[in-house]
């Protein structure tokens, strides 16, 4: 498993009070954690769920009387699965901590300290993910080693593995080349024994450099000697490897024809490592060097810097110079990068992405180099064919060290940095340093706050619309309106990236008002063109808590001459559950001028249907998690049918979003769902052009 923005935490809650459990789920969702909650009311039910369903974590009330913590701990510890157990407490003493840990719980989560609670849950979830990933990788590694061993045995390439200069593995082709019958004949033999005396000293020096962690040469030419003492010209290729857990060198040892031109062979090898358009290293070659640098960081504590560089407004640049000049543009950028690289390794890493690896570079040096690269492009005119242009760049960087000594992690962080730099305007550097996360996070947040505020001040948000289609074909015209914040390259930024920051800096209320005002203006504009369109849009819990919001909406509707029923405001079910009184007052105020409310992500709570006893919206948007496996899951089908039936009996319409296929449509129709939406039917886009007839 890899925890991502769409990964849900499968959380088992053990608590005497359902509202306390619901509050925990709500607080986690408010913090951006997707949660699939489960709740057991008896020890037997807890054991049954743990045995039959995947569970990521158990949060158990330490003071529970219905399900004593000691019994919960015994069930969790005895379920045979890696499921972390956290004790939920209001306060803690040394005696309680000792007792909790003695019973097998990983740690405690304090209900009254939200930051500690959230950090503990995230930490234990990521630790669980790391353990699962490690087990998965170990299994993959064993299978990969088995397959590699078979491939090495069957390969006609002479291959050996060398540890501290000694043979620890060799295939049959290698043995045949030197005249040996079996590996036992050379096991533990020094590689130097297969080198002609005249090349021994040079080869010793090479082995010494390799032992210090220096990268091997692409190829090394020498004279080899077989078991009969006959010399022959050979070429060697080295690759850092592991064999049975030991760090070693994989050696491919080829006999070289006497008539071969060594200089020509060297040139051919050099060409294989270069991108033909830019002359820089190509992606495979650069990845090999990056793997080596990451291994040095993990094993020797070395520090290096990685930068990924992309031109801003790439699509617009191609419009100017023409698609056929794309390689010319990257060649010009490659030359510029090489001129300011200060000896670092440079490469073309993607279609319009360059890379730079600075060995032995600490955070300060990497940061200064990244800024000098950015400035070098910002202040330079590139010559691309007959065109001259200025192309600024966005740079994502990573400080490679022991804390992030994984090639996949390094590349992921660098790529995220590029996306973030583009998203906040381009022509900037986003450098991730595991040793200075707080500083980098503060800078990132400040940039996003400025960008959000700028979007509010200058119409920087853009809108997309997706039709909400009646399964019974009632002829109504309804769209859901999505608020997008776009980067400088025109690519929309995920709302989960900036909305938590907006919430922390009191920007949700102005965003809500901007969205409501714009929606009403669009409804009015369509009315003037003879189209009666209803718009559904999500607002935050701040809208529920803002006593002046209903009056603001009413004034906007009156000023635009828009009937209130054409505006539908959606709020997540979890927000209503934890702000029930405010939600009731808000819905009542909206009803006064005809506007309606929708509950979204409905059905994801612990007791969603109970919420309808206290709050009746006009629409229920069924949680999209049920659509992921609707066609295959009887449980999801039953849950959707239950929601639709209960809502229908109360006169509440239901909406299924993110519908994936035709079979899901059939199931939703038979379940009694009223409306559907999703990319399968019509993707969200900037225009409202769907034919509802």
């Amino acid at each position: 498993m890899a925890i991502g923005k769409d990964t849900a935490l499968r959380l088992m809650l053990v608590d005497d009070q359902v509202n306390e459990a619901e509050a925990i789920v709500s607080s986690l969702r408010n913090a951006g954690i997707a949660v699939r909650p489960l709740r057991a009311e008896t020890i037997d039910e807890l054991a049954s769920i743990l045995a039959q369903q995947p569970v990521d974590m158990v949060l158990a009330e330490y003071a529970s009387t219905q399900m004593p913590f000691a019994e919960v701990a015994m069930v969790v510890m005895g379920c045979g699965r890696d499921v972390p157990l956290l004790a939920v407490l209001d306060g803690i003493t040394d005696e309680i901590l000792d007792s909790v840990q003695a019973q097998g719980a990983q740690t405690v989560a304090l209900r009254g300290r939200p930051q500690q609670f959230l950090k503990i849950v995230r930490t234990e979830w990521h630790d669980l993910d790391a353990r699962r990933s490690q087990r998965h990788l170990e299994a993959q590694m064993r299978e990969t080693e088995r397959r590699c061993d078979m491939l090495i045995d069957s390969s006609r390439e002479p291959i050996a593995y060398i540890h501290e200069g000694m043979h620890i593995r060799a295939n049959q082709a290698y043995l045949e080349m030197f005249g040996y019958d079996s590996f036992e004949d050379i096991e533990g033999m020094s590689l130097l024994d297969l080198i002609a005396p005249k090349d021994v000293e040079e080869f010793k020096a090479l082995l010494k450099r390799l032992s210090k962690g220096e990268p091997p040469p692409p190829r090394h030419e020498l004279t080899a000697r077989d078991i009969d003492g006959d010399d022959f010209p050979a070429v060697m290729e080295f690759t850092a490897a592991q064999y049975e857990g030991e760090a070693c060198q994989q050696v491919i040892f080829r006999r070289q024809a006497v008539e071969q031109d060594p200089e020509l062979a060297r040139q051919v090898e050099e060409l294989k490592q270069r991108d033909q358009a830019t002359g820089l290293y190509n992606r495979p070659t650069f990845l090999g060097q990056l793997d080596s640098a990451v291994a040095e960081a993990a094993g020797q504590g070395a520090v290096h810097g990685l930068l990924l560089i992309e031109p801003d407004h790439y699509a617009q640049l191609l419009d100017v110079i023409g698609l056929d000049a794309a390689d010319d543009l990257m060649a010009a950028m490659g030359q510029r990068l090489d001129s300011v690289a200060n000896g670092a390794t440079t490469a073309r890493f993607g279609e319009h992405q360059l890379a730079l690896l600075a060995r032995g570079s600490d955070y300060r040096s990497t940061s200064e180099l990244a800024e000098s690269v950015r400035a070098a492009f910002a202040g330079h005119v590139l010559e691309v064919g007959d065109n001259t242009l200025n192309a600024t760049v966005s740079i994502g960087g990573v400080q490679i060290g022991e804390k992030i000594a994984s090639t996949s992690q390094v590349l992921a962080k660098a790529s995220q940095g590029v996306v973030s730099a583009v998203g906040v305007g381009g022509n900037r550097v986003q450098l991730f340093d595991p040793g200075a996360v707080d500083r980098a996070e503060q800078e990132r947040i400040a940039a996003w706050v400025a960008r959000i505020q700028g979007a509010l001040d200058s119409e920087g948000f853009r809108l997309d619309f997706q039709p909400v289609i009646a399964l019974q074909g009632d002829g109504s015209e309804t769209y859901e309106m999505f608020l997008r914040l776009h980067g400088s390259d025109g690519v929309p930024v995920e709302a989960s990236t900036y909305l938590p920051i907006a919430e922390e800096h009191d920007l949700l209320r102005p965003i809500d008002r901007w969205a409501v005002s714009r929606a009403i203006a669009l409804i009015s504009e369509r009315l003037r063109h003879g189209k009666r369109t209803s718009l559904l849009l999500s607002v935050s819990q701040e809208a529920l808590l803002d006593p002046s919001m209903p009056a603001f909406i009413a004034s906007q509707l009156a000023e635009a001459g828009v009937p209130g029923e054409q505006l539908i405001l959606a709020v997540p079910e979890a927000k209503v559950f934890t702000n029930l009184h405010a939600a009731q007052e808000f819905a009542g105020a909206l009803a006064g001028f005809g506007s309606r409310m929708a509950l979204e992500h409905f059905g994801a709570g612990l007791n969603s249907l109970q919420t309808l006893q206290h709050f009746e919206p006009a629409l229920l948007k069924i949680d999209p998690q049920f659509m992921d496996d609707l066609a295959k899951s009887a449980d999801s089908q039953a849950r959707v049918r239950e929601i639709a039936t209960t809502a229908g009996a109360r006169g509440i319409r239901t909406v299924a979003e993110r519908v994936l296929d035709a079979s899901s449509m059939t199931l939703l129709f038979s379940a009694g769902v009223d409306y559907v939406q999703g990319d399968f039917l019509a993707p969200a886009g900037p225009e409202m052009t769907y034919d509802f007839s």
Side-chain angles (χ1 to χ4, degrees):
M1 181 185 75
I3 296 176
K5 62 182 178 63
D6 295 324
T7 307
L9 172 64
R10 293 164 297 194
L11 182 65
M12 168 62 71
L13 292 148
V14 177
D15 202 304
D16 294 348
Q17 302 295 323
V18 66
N19 61 320
E20 293 289 352
E22 192 72 59
I24 290 174
V25 173
S26 180
S27 66
L28 294 175
R29 286 179 173 154
N30 289 345
I33 298 176
V35 179
R36 283 197 177 186
L38 299 164
R39 184 168 178 265
E41 296 186 352
T42 67
I43 290 295
D44 289 342
E45 185 180 1
L46 173 65
S48 175
I49 293 174
L50 288 174
Q52 298 175 20
Q53 298 188 39
V55 175
D56 296 323
M57 188 180 300
V58 176
L59 284 177
E61 171 62 51
Y62 183 72
S64 173
T65 56
Q66 296 179 14
M67 298 175 65
F69 186 81
E71 295 182 26
V72 171
M74 288 180 63
V75 170
V76 175
M77 296 305 108
C79 74
R81 296 184 177 181
D82 185 359
V83 180
L85 171 64
L86 278 64
V88 179
L89 302 107
D90 294 315
I92 190 169
T93 64
D94 290 343
E95 291 76 14
I96 291 176
L97 180 60
D98 290 342
S99 173
V100 165
Q101 292 181 336
Q103 293 175 77
Q106 266 70 16
T107 186
V108 298
L110 301 178
R111 199 192 307 274
R113 297 178 62 183
Q115 293 301 320
Q116 187 268 353
F117 194 103
L118 179 61
K119 183 176 181 180
I120 287 296
V121 169
R122 278 185 168 147
T123 298
E124 291 300 328
W125 192 21
H126 281 85
D127 286 351
L128 173 66
D129 181 61
R131 293 195 298 274
R132 288 174 173 171
S133 296
Q134 182 176 351
R135 289 193 290 268
H136 180 66
L137 288 172
E138 286 173 350
Q140 284 187 321
M141 179 68 76
R142 287 191 294 271
E143 177 62 17
T144 300
E145 287 178 345
R146 185 185 69 81
R147 290 177 180 272
C148 286
D149 223 31
M150 292 172 62
L151 286 171
I152 289 168
D153 278 337
S154 61
S155 174
R156 295 311 303 162
E157 292 271 31
I159 301 172
Y161 285 83
I162 307 299
H163 177 63
E164 295 182 351
M166 304 294 180
H167 290 84
I168 58 174
R169 175 79 167 85
N171 70 352
Q172 191 61 35
Y174 188 91
L175 297 173
E176 290 174 358
M177 185 174 70
F178 288 99
Y180 292 95
D181 294 326
S182 67
F183 175 66
E184 285 73 16
D185 295 333
I186 64 168
E187 185 176 11
M189 179 188 292
S190 171
L191 185 58
L192 291 172
D193 292 342
L194 304 181
I195 308 300
K198 69 185 184 66
D199 290 336
V200 165
E201 290 304 318
E202 181 182 356
F203 193 71
K204 278 184 179 178
L206 172 60
L207 290 178
K208 188 173 182 180
R209 292 196 299 272
L210 293 178
S211 69
K212 293 180 179 179
E214 293 186 19
R219 55 190 278 126
H220 182 74
E221 297 177 4
L222 45 66
T223 302
R225 173 165 290 182
D226 63 21
I227 191 172
D228 298 322
D230 296 327
D231 294 347
F232 59 91
V235 60
M236 301 177 70
E237 295 178 4
F238 296 87
T239 304
Q242 281 200 343
Y243 186 75
E244 295 184 347
E246 290 281 357
C248 60
Q249 290 285 336
Q250 182 195 71
V251 176
I252 300 178
F253 213 136
R254 297 189 182 95
R255 186 183 294 269
Q256 188 169 240
V258 176
E259 65 273 15
Q260 182 177 1
D261 184 345
E263 179 59 22
L264 178 60
R266 186 195 63 77
Q267 292 177 7
V268 170
E269 189 64 32
E270 179 72 12
L271 285 172
K272 286 167 57 180
Q273 299 177 17
R274 297 284 174 176
D275 172 66
Q276 298 306 301
T278 63
L280 305 179
Y281 281 122
N282 56 30
R283 182 186 178 95
T285 302
F286 186 82
L287 277 174
Q289 299 207 20
L290 180 61
D291 284 339
S292 176
V294 168
E296 290 173 17
Q300 303 169 26
V303 292
H304 311 293
L306 170 68
L307 303 180
L308 296 181
I309 304 104
E310 286 189 5
D312 295 324
H313 317 292
Y314 180 68
Q316 292 92 319
L317 290 175
L318 290 189
D319 287 341
V320 173
I321 64 175
L323 187 60
D324 58 330
D327 278 346
D328 294 336
L329 171 62
M330 296 310 297
M333 293 190 64
Q335 290 175 8
R336 185 60 178 161
L337 177 63
D338 228 13
S339 69
V340 296
N342 198 25
T345 302
T346 55
R348 183 175 184 176
F349 199 67
E351 179 187 358
H352 62 280
Q353 189 176 76
L354 303 176
L356 181 150
L357 176 63
R359 287 183 170 274
S361 177
D362 59 16
Y363 175 80
R364 180 175 179 179
S365 299
T366 304
S367 181
E368 290 175 352
L369 178 58
E371 183 56 33
S372 68
V373 169
R374 185 206 62 78
F377 280 96
H380 182 71
V381 175
L382 297 175
E383 294 186 6
V384 182
D386 297 331
N387 297 286
T388 57
L389 48 87
N390 174 240
T392 60
V393 294
S394 292
I395 301 175
V398 180
Q399 189 61 43
I400 305 171
E402 286 182 325
K403 290 186 177 181
I404 186 169
S406 157
T407 301
S408 59
Q409 283 185 316
V410 166
L411 288 172
K413 288 296 184 184
S415 296
Q416 289 169 14
V418 173
V419 172
S420 184
V422 170
V424 295
N427 191 27
R428 66 179 63 224
V429 175
Q430 292 284 353
L431 181 60
F432 177 77
D433 177 15
V437 173
D438 292 340
R439 181 182 67 248
E441 184 67 5
Q442 290 172 0
E443 293 172 354
R444 184 185 72 86
I445 290 173
W448 273 112
V449 169
R451 184 155 183 79
I452 295 168
Q453 191 62 61
L456 289 168
D457 295 341
S458 59
E459 301 289 317
F461 289 107
R462 302 183 192 178
L463 304 177
D464 280 343
F465 306 90
Q466 186 171 53
V468 181
I469 303 162
L471 277 173
Q472 302 292 340
D474 62 8
S476 62
E477 183 171 307
T478 303
Y479 289 90
E480 180 166 6
M481 185 179 98
F482 299 99
L483 201 63
R484 311 291 198 197
L485 184 60
H486 284 226
S488 62
D489 57 358
V491 177
V493 180
E494 291 288 343
S496 59
T497 300
Y498 66 86
L499 283 183
I501 298 172
E503 183 175 10
E504 291 174 8
H505 292 81
D506 298 323
L507 291 172
L508 287 183
R509 291 189 186 190
I511 291 175
D512 286 336
R513 293 194 175 216
W514 188 96
V516 168
S517 178
R518 188 75 183 109
I520 292 172
L522 287 168
I523 296 170
S524 176
E525 180 182 338
R526 291 181 70 81
L527 280 173
R528 289 195 297 272
H529 289 84
K531 292 183 178 294
R532 187 175 179 83
T533 302
S534 296
L535 285 183
L536 166 70
L537 67 146
S538 298
V539 293
S540 71
Q541 68 176 355
E542 296 301 318
L544 303 179
L545 303 175
D546 182 359
S548 64
M549 188 65 167
F552 170 79
I553 297 172
S555 67
Q556 292 284 308
L557 289 169
E559 184 178 339
V562 170
E565 62 266 20
Q566 290 180 248
L567 180 68
I568 311 167
L569 300 181
V571 181
E573 174 204 334
K575 305 295 186 185
V576 169
F577 187 91
T578 53
N579 299 279
L580 189 56
H581 183 64
Q584 291 169 334
E585 291 187 348
F586 186 75
L590 292 188
F593 46 81
S595 288
R596 295 171 286 169
M597 282 197 68
L599 282 186
E600 56 185 355
H601 300 297
F602 189 82
L606 290 168
N607 201 356
S608 297
L609 295 176
Q610 182 65 29
T611 304
L612 300 182
Q613 300 288 337
H614 309 283
F615 184 84
E616 286 201 3
L619 288 172
L620 288 182
K621 297 195 70 185
I622 300 170
D623 192 274
Q625 71 178 3
F626 297 114
M627 298 302 109
D628 293 341
D629 57 357
L630 185 66
K632 300 178 181 178
S633 171
D635 289 341
S636 293
Q637 294 170 24
R639 183 63 168 158
V640 169
R641 187 176 296 107
E642 181 186 20
I643 292 171
T645 302
T646 305
R650 293 177 172 273
I652 302 171
R653 298 296 186 93
T654 49
V655 182
E657 57 180 323
R658 300 189 199 170
V659 177
L660 300 175
D661 47 48
S663 60
S664 295
M665 291 275 289
T666 303
L667 291 166
L668 293 169
F669 182 85
S670 64
V673 172
D674 299 293
Y675 299 95
V676 289
Q677 67 182 112
D679 289 352
F680 170 73
L681 299 155
E687 304 294 335
M688 289 184 275
T689 56
Y690 185 79
D691 184 1
F692 286 87
S693 61

